[in-house]
Amino acid sequence: MDQPSFTLSQSGTFVKEDFVINRQGIAAVGGTEVARVVGLRLQDLQLLEVLGKGASSLVRRAVHTPSQTELAVKVINVFDKDKRDQLLRELRTLYSSAFPWLVSFHDCLYDEGAMYIVLEYMDGGSLADVLIATQLTGSGAPSELVLGRIAAKTLAGLNYLHRERHQVHRDIKPGNILLNSRGEIKISDFGLSAELDSTKEMCATFIGTHAYMSPERLGGKPYSFASDIWSLGITLIECAIGQFPYTAYNGNNYFVLLSQILNDPPPSLPDAFSPEFRDLVLQCLTKDAEQRPSAEDLLKHPFIAMHDESLSPLDMAEWVKICTQMRKDAEIMPPS
Ligand code: AMP
């Protein structure tokens, strides 16, 4: 029989590889100090409504009662081996990513078979929530100004992940781009990100949502950072036109969708959009991954330069406020 790859002591402490997690939070073993132990305790967290569901987790709003701080808590059952391994990957990434365009991580707690990952609460929800609310309320799609800002921040986050952390996110989609009432835009859900070591440039495994996947990935070929750029292109088109750009998606037909992504020309934005925006999307959706520009290249694209914060005084916070009202009107936002 296989030995379990983690230990769970009678006092309820979860130990795997470099991590020791219990009701008091997370600490490293082997003498390596983990930089951020903020002293969160499970009994101080009041878990509230469900904000969303991931592939293997539930995200709830929570309040840290001593400080009255709002938080998001991702709850994952760790008795399942795949989930446990996913969690460990996620923890590593979260711990090493303190960056303004990535959702910040506060702590991780373990109790009675469940892992509680305590995250910054993004009170504006995700771009997927905004898309649904837009459809339900019959409101227009976000303006190019807003989309330019979203593209710029997401590219900045991806550039950091790719260049500094050597990680492919692997699940860039509207549900993983989060907003807050300060007008900030951040990438979340690193559960599917895999660390690439310096000698191995490709991801060999296949995880994640198919609809936003690059042709090379869907085709079973090795894929790398460029795959995230494709997913961003699909995300931007969907936000701009208010619907997923491949028709097979709506029919929920996986095999037709697969064939469309692999064999059809890539989707593009209609003429009504600016040439700069259309070109950015065209670049992201270059079918040949070798020819697809990197996040660093795209940060220099004219569409991104046009929407640089110093040039366009767009009040993102105001836009998020409007979206929050829209989500309330569409009744897709749980009452606070
Ligand atoms: P995930 O499991 O990370 O894909 O999250 C599923 C959904 O939960 C997302 O699409 C968001 O709607 C919501 N969510 C995740 N993380 C947060 C957060 N930090 N703040 C607010 N909502 C979140």
Side-chain angles (χ1 to χ4, degrees):
M1 210 172 81
D2 282 352
Q3 289 294 313
S5 61
F6 70 107
T7 62
L8 193 54
S9 78
Q10 285 201 326
S11 64
T13 298
F14 173 98
V15 181
K16 184 172 178 184
E17 298 172 24
D18 302 338
F19 291 95
V20 178
I21 303 166
N22 59 25
R23 289 173 76 99
Q24 269 70 49
I26 188 167
V29 288
T32 328
E33 199 73 27
V34 169
R36 301 176 61 211
V37 178
V38 292
L40 276 175
R41 296 178 314 166
L42 204 51
Q43 61 263 42
D44 292 338
L45 292 180
Q46 190 187 356
L47 294 181
L48 301 165
E49 74 277 2
V50 173
L51 295 168
K53 286 180 188 166
S56 58
S57 62
L58 205 62
V59 182
R60 305 186 85 114
R61 189 169 70 89
V63 173
H64 178 243
T65 35
S67 64
Q68 285 299 300
T69 308
E70 271 188 308
L71 299 161
V73 178
K74 186 179 246 197
V75 188
I76 307 181
N77 179 342
V78 286
F79 287 127
D80 178 316
K81 185 183 180 308
D82 289 344
K83 289 180 188 169
R84 217 166 52 226
D85 291 347
Q86 176 192 336
L87 177 80
L88 260 293
R89 279 199 296 275
E90 187 156 8
L91 284 175
R92 289 219 170 81
T93 313
L94 289 165
Y95 252 122
S96 49
S97 303
F99 193 70
W101 295 297
L102 306 181
V103 170
S104 35
F105 167 84
H106 290 289
D107 209 342
C108 180
L109 306 153
Y110 173 81
D111 191 36
E112 302 197 357
M115 208 60 107
Y116 298 80
I117 302 181
V118 186
L119 302 166
E120 167 184 21
Y121 174 50
M122 296 294 284
D123 60 356
S126 70
L127 276 184
D129 298 328
V130 172
L131 274 167
I132 295 168
T134 311
Q135 280 153 9
L136 291 176
T137 57
S139 317
S143 67
E144 276 199 29
L145 210 56
V146 167
L147 292 169
R149 193 63 60 80
I150 290 169
K153 299 296 179 196
T154 311
L155 280 170
L158 284 179
N159 188 38
Y160 169 78
L161 269 186
H162 294 171
R163 279 180 59 88
E164 306 291 325
R165 302 276 317 133
H166 308 291
Q167 280 171 3
V168 181
H169 182 285
R170 301 210 266 182
D171 202 17
I172 292 293
K173 59 181 181 182
N176 282 336
I177 299 177
L178 303 186
L179 312 161
N180 70 21
S181 51
R182 289 193 298 277
E184 293 166 337
I185 301 155
K186 302 191 183 195
I187 302 177
S188 80
D189 201 356
F190 301 94
L192 303 177
S193 312
E195 286 203 19
L196 297 180
D197 64 44
S198 49
T199 52
K200 188 161 152 269
E201 287 276 301
M202 313 293 178
C203 298
T205 49
F206 185 92
I207 323 168
T209 29
H210 298 100
Y212 300 85
M213 276 186 194
S214 61
E216 65 272 18
R217 189 172 172 193
L218 283 173
K221 296 192 187 127
Y223 64 93
S224 190
F225 307 116
S227 203
D228 286 342
I229 300 296
W230 173 278
S231 308
L232 173 63
I234 299 290
T235 299
L236 288 174
I237 293 205
E238 184 177 6
C239 292
I241 65 174
Q243 64 187 53
F244 192 78
Y246 287 100
T247 50
Y249 184 71
N250 302 320
N252 216 4
N253 190 330
Y254 172 71
F255 294 101
V256 182
L257 176 67
L258 185 70
S259 157
Q260 286 184 341
I261 298 174
L262 289 179
N263 305 318
D264 290 1
S268 59
L269 280 172
D271 290 348
F273 291 93
S274 70
E276 292 84 1
F277 189 21
R278 296 182 68 216
D279 186 70
L280 179 90
V281 166
L282 191 80
Q283 303 280 337
C284 291
L285 298 181
T286 306
K287 280 188 89 173
D288 179 356
E290 299 279 310
Q291 303 299 321
R292 207 176 297 143
S294 66
E296 190 182 20
D297 296 335
L298 290 171
L299 281 168
K300 296 179 206 128
H301 189 278
F303 183 66
I304 301 301
M306 270 164 68
H307 295 100
D308 182 279
E309 253 155 309
S310 58
L311 298 180
S312 57
L314 169 75
D315 191 352
M316 278 302 289
E318 190 53 36
W319 179 73
V320 172
K321 203 166 133 193
I322 294 166
C323 292
T324 303
Q325 189 55 51
M326 225 162 45
R327 287 165 62 216
K328 281 185 181 150
D329 293 345
E331 293 176 349
I332 58 166
M333 195 169 142
S336 50

